[in-house]
Amino acid sequence: SSSSGRKNVQVMDRLAKMQAHKRASIGAIRDSYGRNLLVVQAADEFHIKAQQASSSADEKSPEDQVPLYKCSVLVRSSTGTLYVTSTQILFVTQFIPIVGGQKCTLFDLEGLEFGIQESSSSLLMSPLPTSISVTRGGEELYSFRPSHGAHRLVAFLKVVQAMANPDDEELTFSDRGGLLYMYGDSPPPKMY
């Protein structure tokens, strides 16, 4: 019916606006180097750790390494921190938790795939959170347990990856109409 068709258009429009807002927010943070002291400090800290990293990732300038996300992680039996920029992901873990020493591992986000490895359904059997595996070309490169929200983190990483290689058709959303303008430049129909 026509009313369900209009409702579908409204839902798709809201989804398009939410996606456009996510992308705009990530872009604003990514491009804020030099305008905010905290961003400059965080990017410089990331840059120093990235230079210490064992990786084959491309070297970037601090301006291109503004952290978008940071959280605690567990990698095997080591604790650490995960940093995500618009093009890279960095793991900083402790060699021996009490003694100290850090290991930095850096990956370019391009070409990475992130999979969820569900933990046991019983909290008594496995009280640890869900883990995420990082793969490229079917080969597992890394596995970690974020301190919270593995599913949300994977969804966020996919949005960041999509922004790194934008598809022109995917990013042409209007602030006024989103998908309602998809089939032409006419204004959206009035919804009652």
Side-chain angles (χ1 to χ4, degrees):
S1 83
S2 64
S3 65
S4 66
R6 284 192 304 270
K7 189 53 109 176
N8 285 342
V9 168
Q10 287 176 336
V11 169
M12 294 301 291
D13 180 54
R14 287 184 188 134
L15 287 172
K17 286 179 181 179
M18 286 182 357
Q19 289 174 349
H21 175 73
K22 279 191 235 179
R23 292 172 190 272
S25 298
I26 290 170
I29 295 169
R30 177 195 63 210
D31 299 336
S32 63
Y33 187 88
R35 288 185 246 146
N36 183 311
L37 180 61
L38 293 174
V39 170
V40 171
Q41 290 172 344
D44 290 344
E45 176 188 344
F46 181 95
H47 184 69
I48 290 167
K49 291 182 185 324
Q51 288 179 323
Q52 299 168 356
S54 58
S55 76
S56 60
D58 295 336
E59 190 167 325
K60 309 255 185 220
S61 67
E63 295 86 16
D64 297 327
Q65 293 181 321
V66 173
L68 303 173
Y69 182 79
K70 174 182 174 182
C71 77
S72 299
V73 293
L74 182 64
V75 180
R76 294 183 202 90
S77 61
S78 298
T79 59
T81 305
L82 161 75
Y83 298 87
V84 177
T85 71
S86 61
T87 57
Q88 295 176 322
I89 186 168
L90 174 70
F91 297 93
V92 179
T93 55
Q94 302 292 321
F95 278 133
I96 303 170
I98 296 171
V99 177
Q102 293 181 340
K103 179 181 181 193
C104 300
T105 308
L106 181 70
F107 298 105
D108 285 328
L109 282 174
E110 186 177 349
L112 290 182
E113 295 174 13
F114 302 95
I116 301 287
Q117 297 172 338
E118 296 289 342
S119 57
S120 168
S121 60
S122 168
L123 284 177
L124 295 174
M125 298 299 286
S126 178
L128 297 173
T130 303
S131 67
I132 298 174
S133 65
V134 180
T135 60
R136 179 176 283 136
E139 176 188 350
E140 184 173 89
L141 304 173
Y142 215 79
S143 181
F144 67 99
R145 294 179 189 275
S147 57
H148 51 76
H151 292 278
R152 285 186 180 176
L153 177 55
V154 167
F156 174 74
L157 289 168
K158 289 179 181 179
V159 170
V160 172
Q161 284 179 315
M163 285 192 62
N165 299 314
D167 180 2
D168 290 338
E169 289 181 18
E170 190 176 325
L171 297 178
T172 55
F173 294 116
S174 166
D175 291 336
R176 295 175 295 148
L179 283 177
L180 294 176
Y181 282 84
M182 187 171 159
Y183 299 106
D185 292 323
S186 60
K190 290 187 177 184
M191 302 294 169
Y192 299 100

